[in-house]
Amino acid sequence: MAYAAFRSIGAYVPSKILTNEDLSTMVDTTDEWITKRTGIKERHIAAENEFTSDMGTFAAELAIERSGIAKGDIDMVICATISPDYFCMPSTATIIATKLGLGNVTSFDISAACTGFVYILSIAKAFIESGMKKNILIIGAEKLSAITDYTDRSTCILFGDGAGAAVISATENKDEAIIDVHTGSDGAYADLLMTPNGGSGSTHDSLSQEASSCFMQMKGNETFKVAVRTLTKDVVEILQENNIQSSQIKHFVPHQANYRIIKAVGDALKLKDEQVVLTVEKYGNTSGASIPMAINDIYEQGTLKKGELMLLDAFGGGLTWGSALVPFSPLK
Ligand code: ACO
């Protein structure tokens, strides 16, 4: 049987920084409020002519180079994004595959908001274990600044741009294999976090007025409570089902939405500070890109080593959630 191994990681962070001080000149907020409620100090914002696919391509180039797998051997590209280059088509994955020169590979996007990276990890794992594909490039890429309302202080302080990518490939060595991936959703909570306008629910008349209003809206406080409850339950379950103690986790890599959410889940698992990966302070919430960007940070700091176990954990619009137990298994 083929198993799926997490081979490599890469990321891209746009150069422009938007600080809490900058935001306090745009909306009625303060550095103190944002820091205390979210842990965020700054976020990166893509240039106007920098697309989600451009950031995804940079991250993917790095991930492929670090994987030791030839570009010609990549047989599938999946991109998780809620801020695609184009509203309906073509998919951002298809554009990235072409920018990378990957030829006629299977490529598609998925929409699971901040849980997107865990969802594409589960899809890659399933395709590899079924024997249908061998080397899959997965990318979380977001230009959330394009769908953020910079007059709404309750959301604009949260989001940033960036991309992360990983190569998942087939192995016969079970010790290298991704252990498990959980995913779930509940559309009953759809209205907690959504872009209400511009889809097939909009009339043609309203579409022209709404063209500039495909912005995210969030009931932050209600989302916060569901996030803490759901994330904690999900990580406890995945550890129990796989008979793994939280002390065996080397790196807990949660979706970076809010420091207080991460702290609550970390405390529930009795994790030590050094087990918890935190990037929310410098990148804010980059939705589907946040987990691979955080993994890339520990990789580039030299703290992610071969064989170490990561616990991934995410929650986002939909509502969606997911977790994964992933040993880092580079080829080189
Ligand atoms: N600056 C100053 N005051 C503010 C700001 C701001 N930027 N934003 C809101 N406030 C005010 C509110 O108006 C409110 O004032 P009131 O008490 O007079 O009514 C007060 O601060 C408290 O507001 P809350 O919304 O209750 O603040 P809370 O502590 O819940 O923090 C936050 C808000 C940061 C959004 C938090 O609820 C959160 O992180 N929610 C979860 C986000 C999340 O996990 N989303 C899912 C992933 S995102 C995705 O999928 C794309």
Side-chain angles (χ1 to χ4, degrees):
M1 178 190 167
Y3 299 105
F6 192 105
R7 296 294 188 203
S8 65
I9 190 75
Y12 173 79
V13 185
S15 56
K16 185 181 164 194
I17 292 174
L18 183 67
T19 64
N20 291 351
E21 281 77 16
D22 295 333
L23 282 162
S24 68
T25 68
M26 296 159 64
V27 288
D28 181 14
T29 193
T30 59
D31 171 48
E32 193 197 351
W33 192 96
I34 302 170
T35 306
K36 197 166 155 212
R37 301 286 178 128
T38 70
I40 301 168
K41 291 300 257 184
E42 56 188 39
R43 62 294 286 145
H44 291 247
I45 303 295
E48 219 162 281
N49 61 355
E50 196 169 30
F51 288 13
T52 297
S53 66
D54 295 320
M55 295 187 281
T57 302
F58 279 122
E61 280 279 10
L62 255 186
I64 294 173
E65 190 188 308
R66 290 171 177 170
S67 73
I69 290 164
K71 270 189 183 176
D73 291 334
I74 301 287
D75 48 14
M76 181 181 261
V77 179
I78 320 172
C79 182
T81 184
I82 52 167
S83 47
D85 286 12
Y86 301 102
F87 179 40
C88 297
M89 57 186 166
S91 73
T92 304
T94 305
I95 299 168
I96 293 172
T98 299
K99 284 181 176 167
L100 289 168
L102 297 185
N104 302 131
V105 292
T106 307
S107 57
F108 59 94
D109 290 355
I110 66 106
S111 170
C114 304
T115 320
F117 191 76
V118 178
Y119 268 63
I120 54 179
L121 188 68
S122 76
I123 297 168
K125 180 175 182 288
F127 266 96
I128 288 172
E129 287 176 354
S130 72
M132 286 177 72
K133 299 290 177 190
K134 288 202 161 32
N135 300 299
I136 303 182
L137 173 65
I138 59 172
I139 305 147
E142 300 285 11
K143 186 174 178 176
L144 295 181
S145 58
I147 57 167
T148 296
D149 179 355
Y150 285 98
T151 65
D152 174 10
R153 70 176 181 173
S154 69
T155 54
C156 73
I157 53 140
L158 301 171
F159 299 108
D161 301 336
V167 174
I168 313 299
S169 78
T171 179
E172 286 176 6
N173 179 357
K174 200 174 177 193
D175 292 340
E176 293 187 329
I178 296 169
I179 297 169
D180 198 5
V181 188
H182 275 195
T183 49
S185 74
D186 188 349
Y189 291 104
D191 69 324
L192 287 192
L193 179 51
M194 67 192 312
T195 50
N197 301 317
S200 63
S202 297
T203 62
H204 278 239
D205 282 350
S206 66
L207 265 181
S208 54
Q209 294 159 19
E210 290 170 357
S212 63
S213 64
C214 297
F215 293 143
M216 288 179 280
Q217 293 177 14
M218 181 165 67
K219 295 177 182 167
N221 197 268
E222 288 169 63
T223 308
F224 185 98
K225 288 175 200 154
V226 188
V228 172
R229 196 170 62 235
T230 310
L231 285 171
T232 307
K233 180 172 177 286
D234 198 41
V235 284
V236 166
E237 279 174 6
I238 199 169
L239 288 173
Q240 276 174 356
E241 282 172 23
N242 292 282
N243 207 13
I244 289 174
Q245 308 299 316
S246 60
S247 56
Q248 291 170 258
I249 303 300
K250 183 72 183 172
H251 307 283
F252 174 52
V253 192
H255 166 52
Q256 308 283 319
N258 186 316
Y259 172 72
R260 290 186 293 140
I261 296 176
I262 296 170
K263 177 95 176 84
V265 179
D267 286 351
L269 289 181
K270 298 192 170 49
L271 292 173
K272 298 192 180 114
D273 285 353
E274 60 266 27
Q275 288 173 283
V276 181
V277 180
L278 279 174
T279 59
V280 67
E281 182 178 355
K282 53 182 182 173
Y283 301 144
N285 179 346
T286 58
S287 191
S290 95
I291 287 180
M293 286 169 73
I295 298 173
N296 185 68
D297 260 39
I298 53 172
Y299 176 80
E300 292 192 348
Q301 286 156 14
T303 48
L304 175 61
K305 306 261 169 45
K306 187 172 184 154
E308 289 180 347
L309 185 58
M310 298 184 280
L311 171 61
L312 317 185
D313 188 23
F315 179 88
L319 293 177
T320 56
W321 57 86
S323 54
L325 284 163
V326 184
F328 184 53
S329 306
L331 283 171
K332 52 179 189 179

